[in-house]
Amino acid sequence: MASPETKDPAIALRSTSYWLPGGTVLVDSLSLEIPAGVTLVLLGRSGSGKTTTLKLMNRLLEPTSGDLFIEGKPVRAWDPIRLRRRMGYAIQDVGLFPHYTVERNIGLLPAVERWPAARIRERVRELLALVGLDASLAGRFPRELSGGQRQRVGVARALALDPPVLLMDEPFGALDPLTRAELQGEFARLQKRLGKTVVLVTHDLREAMLLGSQIALLEAGHLAGLYLPDDFQRTRDPLALAYRQAFSAPEGGPSQPQPRGLGDSA
């Protein structure tokens, strides 16, 4: 009898390394498999290789050695532009074009893809509703928005082409604590609704526990451990234990805010 068909992971790193021309190693023999629909958190201190790993996934950087596969296909076999169109990218400082309106920022990639203008307008309205923003904001410029609103626009822009993968680099790190907690909870609900494959970089354990279905703990470019959130709370690994102590996380897990969900009805 034939064996069941196995599905390739959305992203797979096989002993992937990256080092600078001077020899400084930023990612060292990293092996990870990220199944489709999973939210993998890359957790680690500054300099642990989190952002470098993220940039290897969409070919902003090229692996120095080892292999990296996207949907079963070697990353070097992907056209970089086409690959990045399949990966939404949301970053801490949002990166909105200040001289573009909200509508033009969100609709930028659909316009590059030559979508009809009416389809772009409809997609922008759909995404504004999805991330909890009023359609009246479409004509505003980023400077006219609050930090939380700008971050929502950044997420909407990353989702514009409905990519199967979403890469997020400290997306909520620049926000005040209350807005950050609200958006973390909202994104958790949004991800449950959309089922994207998400790779999220953070140094915040509470964020990792709230948003991650898996946590990859990085240290000095190495994978120190791969955990389910509950397992991270129980492990006696010294580095994971140090994180729990630093964030004063109780053994039952950190408290998780329950704000309104993005796009959820009241």
Side-chain angles (χ1 to χ4, degrees), residues 125-134 152 155 159 182-183 185-194 259-266:
R125 286 195 294 268
E126 176 186 324
L127 287 167
L128 286 173
L130 185 69
V131 301
L133 291 176
D134 193 271
R152 285 177 169 90
V155 172
L159 293 171
E182 181 182 48
L183 288 187
E186 289 178 349
F187 181 78
R189 295 187 183 188
L190 179 62
Q191 165 58 358
K192 186 175 181 180
R193 175 177 173 182
L194 297 180
R260 293 175 295 111
L262 285 167
D264 285 2
S265 58

Side-chain angles (χ1 to χ4, degrees), residues 148-218:
Q149 288 172 331
R150 287 195 298 271
Q151 199 61 57
R152 285 177 169 90
V153 173
V155 172
R157 185 178 63 178
L159 293 171
L161 294 180
D162 196 20
V165 176
L166 186 59
L167 307 180
M168 308 185 77
D169 193 355
E170 305 257 16
F172 313 118
L175 301 173
D176 66 84
L178 289 178
T179 302
R180 180 174 184 168
E182 181 182 48
L183 288 187
Q184 286 170 344
E186 289 178 349
F187 181 78
R189 295 187 183 188
L190 179 62
Q191 165 58 358
K192 186 175 181 180
R193 175 177 173 182
L194 297 180
K196 302 288 185 185
T197 303
V198 178
V199 184
L200 185 144
V201 164
T202 188
H203 62 271
D204 186 330
L205 177 58
R206 296 183 182 93
E207 185 165 274
M209 295 295 293
L210 176 62
L211 301 181
S213 44
Q214 295 182 1
I215 298 172
L217 182 59
L218 302 186

Side-chain angles (χ1 to χ4, degrees), residues 59-80:
R59 293 196 69 183
L60 288 176
L61 297 173
E62 300 285 354
T64 308
S65 67
D67 296 306
L68 199 158
F69 298 87
I70 307 297
E71 299 174 358
K73 181 178 176 180
V75 72
R76 290 184 178 90
W78 282 88
D79 173 76

Side-chain angles (χ1 to χ4, degrees), residues 17-210:
S17 296
Y18 177 81
W19 58 83
L20 300 175
T24 302
V25 178
L26 301 184
V27 174
D28 191 5
S29 297
L30 185 60
S31 293
L32 273 173
E33 285 193 357
I34 307 173
V38 161
T39 297
L40 177 80
V41 171
L42 298 177
L43 176 68
R45 70 183 84 200
S46 298
S48 62
K50 306 184 302 297
T51 295
T52 300
T53 300
L54 206 69
K55 290 180 176 180
L56 290 169
M57 293 176 182
N58 68 356
R59 293 196 69 183
L60 288 176
L61 297 173
E62 300 285 354
T64 308
S65 67
D67 296 306
L68 199 158
F69 298 87
I70 307 297
E71 299 174 358
K73 181 178 176 180
V75 72
R76 290 184 178 90
W78 282 88
D79 173 76
I81 301 302
R82 301 314 306 172
L83 176 64
R84 291 167 198 154
R85 300 278 166 82
R86 291 184 61 77
M87 292 184 167
Y89 198 40
I91 58 178
Q92 178 173 327
D93 59 4
V94 185
L96 300 178
F97 292 103
H99 55 293
Y100 284 6
T101 63
V102 166
E103 180 173 12
R104 194 173 177 191
N105 266 287
I106 296 174
L108 180 62
L109 285 181
V112 170
E113 290 288 291
R114 301 183 183 275
W115 287 21
R119 184 183 176 195
I120 293 174
R121 287 194 297 271
E122 179 60 30
R123 181 61 174 160
V124 169
R125 286 195 294 268
E126 176 186 324
L127 287 167
L128 286 173
L130 185 69
V131 301
L133 291 176
D134 193 271
S136 64
L137 298 179
R140 294 192 185 180
F141 291 90
R143 65 179 179 273
E144 300 174 300
L145 305 177
S146 69
Q149 288 172 331
R150 287 195 298 271
Q151 199 61 57
R152 285 177 169 90
V153 173
V155 172
R157 185 178 63 178
L159 293 171
L161 294 180
D162 196 20
V165 176
L166 186 59
L167 307 180
M168 308 185 77
D169 193 355
E170 305 257 16
F172 313 118
L175 301 173
D176 66 84
L178 289 178
T179 302
R180 180 174 184 168
E182 181 182 48
L183 288 187
Q184 286 170 344
E186 289 178 349
F187 181 78
R189 295 187 183 188
L190 179 62
Q191 165 58 358
K192 186 175 181 180
R193 175 177 173 182
L194 297 180
K196 302 288 185 185
T197 303
V198 178
V199 184
L200 185 144
V201 164
T202 188
H203 62 271
D204 186 330
L205 177 58
R206 296 183 182 93
E207 185 165 274
M209 295 295 293
L210 176 62

